Structures are given as structure tokens and as C-alpha cells.
Amino acid sequence: LLDRFLLLRANGVVLMNSDARLLADLGRVFEAFQPTKVVHMAAIASAVDAKAEPGLAFDLQLITLRNVLELVRPKVKDINQVMFMSSSTVYGDFEGASVDETTFPRPEGIYANAKFMGERLVRTYRTQYGLGTTVIRPSALYGERCISRRVSQVFIENALTGKPLLLEGGGDGRLDFTYINDLVQGMVRALALHKDSSTFNITFGNARTIADLAAVVKSVVPNAILEERPRAVDKPIRGTLSITRAQEKLGFEPEWTLEQGFKRYCEWYADQWQRAQMQVEAN
């Protein structure tokens, strides 16, 4: 987290503390910056944590979004775009190998339903008040400084601490793993090339298995332990998110394969781990 703040400051990004759940508090931010575009990313970035604290998940995802939309509504001539960071979880269980933005969402759980409600709220403000809006649906993100306890982080941590990498059902579950640099590229394109309101899958566009993920970890930490487990009955069925719309409308082309991006993340994590160990030993 400290690295994130340091990078923001080093690149001249001005930070302003605010509780986005409070309309007046967030209003002061709008007055200070006079934005022409707004990106909403507030959320509990974990379906597990959202399930544990549904009230907080609701506040962070929907109350903050309501405040953003209300602040933008009277200024649609000055603020031409609101980008809402949604999630691939809104699709629910995939019925086929892939989904696209026309697939009817079937979200399950607090996190996914809050994201879908956010999408509906954004679209309602678009049709009722003329807001320019963009909805982004990412999937299985990973990358340096990610500490959201996704499977990508858990696997490399387990490998470094001698704990097994648990492969449910032999690791045949599939996710459309996406390196953070590819997501950011897609977001920037959607912000820069905004013409009409739309929803975009911004992913690598090719689902890979959990076993593939484990193989990359093992290439970085050769003594990583792989352990098969029975598949959990409530595990969501996922797959590829089609990125055809983003390719055609935004010129989006992901650059980081799992073998390239995830290996880079694992190497970064291993280096950070080694530095932390050295610091502990020095003290």
C-alpha cells in the first residue's frame, strides 16, 4: 500500500482524503478538482469479504456511487464521462465457454449483485439525465502490489512459505486471468476514445486453468508443493470473456500472457519476500 502512495506522488498525482460515503465530503473533492471525467472504483475487492460484511460492501459500492452520480448529474455539460468499475462476477455461472457483453447477467452473492446494481444505477442515470457512462468488466486481475488475496497472490505466498498450492478438481477450473497493465490500457482507451455509452469486457480474452497458474508459480519457485483437492460444490463456473467489442471500438489488444505477466508478478513478489526476510533478520 505504501508503494502505491509513493508511486502516485512520484508521478505527480494529487491526493485528497475524503469519505466518499458522505455526499458533502465528496462534493468538496469535486469542487477542488473540477473533473471532466470520473472513475468510480470504490468497493470491497473480495467476494469473501463482501459476504462477511454485506452492509459495508453496500455502503462502499453503492452509496459512494450514488454520491458520484448525484454530483455529476447537474454538471453533465462539464463532466462528459463516468466510468464504473464492475466485475466479471456479474455474469454468474457461465453456460458456455465464453460470454460477451450481451450475455444476460446472473450474479450470485453480495459482491456480484452490488456490482450489477451499480451497473443498473449508472445506466439509469444515463437514460434519465444524459450522463456519459462507461462500464468496465475486468476478470481475475493480478499484478505487482496486488494484495486482495486472489488466487494469484495466495499461490505465490503459499509457495514461498512451503504451504501447498491447492488444486481443486485437479486445477481444471478456468479464469480469464488479466495483468493489471492490460486493464489500465483498456481503461485509458475507454476514457480517451469515449463517444457513446457502453459496457466493455477488459480482460486477456482467453481463460486459463488454475493448473496453468500453478505451473507458472512452480517455474519461479521450483519446490512449490501442488496438492489436489475435491472440487467445491459452490465454486462458480467461469471461462473466457469475449473482448471483441473492446477490440473493435477501442482498438484494445492485451499484451501480457499468463506466462509473461504472472511470472513477472511472481518474481516481483519473491523479491519483496526476500527483502522482507533480510530486514527481519537484520533487526
Side-chain angles (χ1 to χ4, degrees):
L1 286 175
L2 180 59
D3 275 356
R4 293 182 184 183
F5 287 118
L6 292 174
L7 282 169
L8 287 167
R9 293 189 177 108
N11 286 279
V13 177
V14 179
L15 303 177
M16 184 172 177
N17 291 329
S18 171
D19 187 340
R21 295 171 295 182
L22 303 177
L23 182 62
D25 215 17
L26 192 59
R28 284 190 283 272
V29 177
F30 273 67
E31 286 301 315
F33 287 99
Q34 295 292 313
T36 57
K37 297 177 184 288
V38 180
V39 182
H40 181 280
M41 297 189 289
I44 292 180
S46 164
V48 174
D49 292 343
K51 181 180 180 181
E53 297 191 71
L56 182 59
F58 185 94
D59 285 353
L60 293 179
Q61 291 198 32
L62 296 176
I63 298 301
T64 60
L65 178 60
R66 170 261 186 191
N67 289 343
V68 165
L69 295 172
E70 276 296 279
L71 288 166
V72 172
R73 180 170 60 85
K75 299 181 179 181
V76 293
K77 292 182 179 179
D78 303 314
I79 304 174
N80 65 14
Q81 188 178 15
V82 174
M83 175 178 284
F84 176 62
M85 294 302 296
S86 185
S87 167
S88 61
T89 60
V90 299
Y91 290 112
D93 286 343
F94 288 20
E95 293 185 337
S98 67
V99 294
D100 63 24
E101 294 87 350
T102 66
T103 301
F104 188 78
R106 298 183 303 160
E108 296 182 10
I110 297 295
Y111 176 81
N113 274 286
K115 286 294 188 183
F116 186 51
M117 283 188 279
E119 288 191 9
R120 296 292 297 271
L121 193 58
V122 165
R123 294 190 187 100
T124 299
Y125 269 73
R126 180 192 71 206
T127 56
Q128 295 288 314
Y129 306 110
L131 271 66
T133 62
T134 304
V135 173
I136 302 292
R137 292 172 178 168
S139 172
L141 291 171
Y142 65 87
E144 294 87 335
R145 289 166 292 278
C146 177
I147 53 171
S148 298
R149 299 295 298 167
R150 296 183 175 94
V151 63
S152 52
Q153 179 190 354
V154 171
F155 268 21
I156 184 61
E157 282 189 0
N158 283 6
L160 292 169
T161 56
K163 298 177 182 177
L165 282 59
L166 303 181
L167 304 177
E168 295 186 3
D172 63 351
R174 302 178 69 84
L175 289 171
D176 199 339
F177 293 104
T178 307
Y179 188 46
I180 187 63
N181 287 21
D182 283 333
L183 172 65
V184 171
Q185 180 218 150
M187 290 172 63
V188 169
R189 285 179 174 274
L191 288 167
L193 302 176
H194 174 73
K195 293 181 179 178
D196 57 355
S197 299
S198 195
T199 298
F200 296 104
N201 292 333
I202 302 293
T203 70
F204 188 74
N206 181 29
R208 301 289 296 275
T209 67
I210 302 298
D212 291 336
L213 191 76
V216 177
V217 174
K218 203 162 178 62
S219 72
V220 177
V221 186
N223 60 348
I225 304 166
L226 307 184
E227 187 176 305
E228 294 191 12
R229 291 285 180 87
R231 184 181 291 101
V233 294
D234 61 345
K235 209 71 171 179
I237 301 171
R238 310 293 293 283
T240 295
L241 277 69
S242 169
I243 57 173
T244 300
R245 178 184 289 180
Q247 289 173 316
E248 293 177 349
K249 287 193 172 186
L250 306 177
F252 170 66
E253 290 295 341
E255 300 174 357
W256 294 87
T257 66
L258 191 67
E259 285 74 17
Q260 295 170 325
F262 188 54
K263 184 177 181 182
R264 179 174 172 174
Y265 170 58
C266 289
E267 290 172 342
W268 170 85
Y269 212 109
D271 178 65
Q272 296 296 312
W273 192 268
Q274 186 178 25
R275 292 186 185 188
Q277 285 183 318
M278 292 172 63
Q279 188 173 4
V280 169
E281 292 170 0
N283 294 334

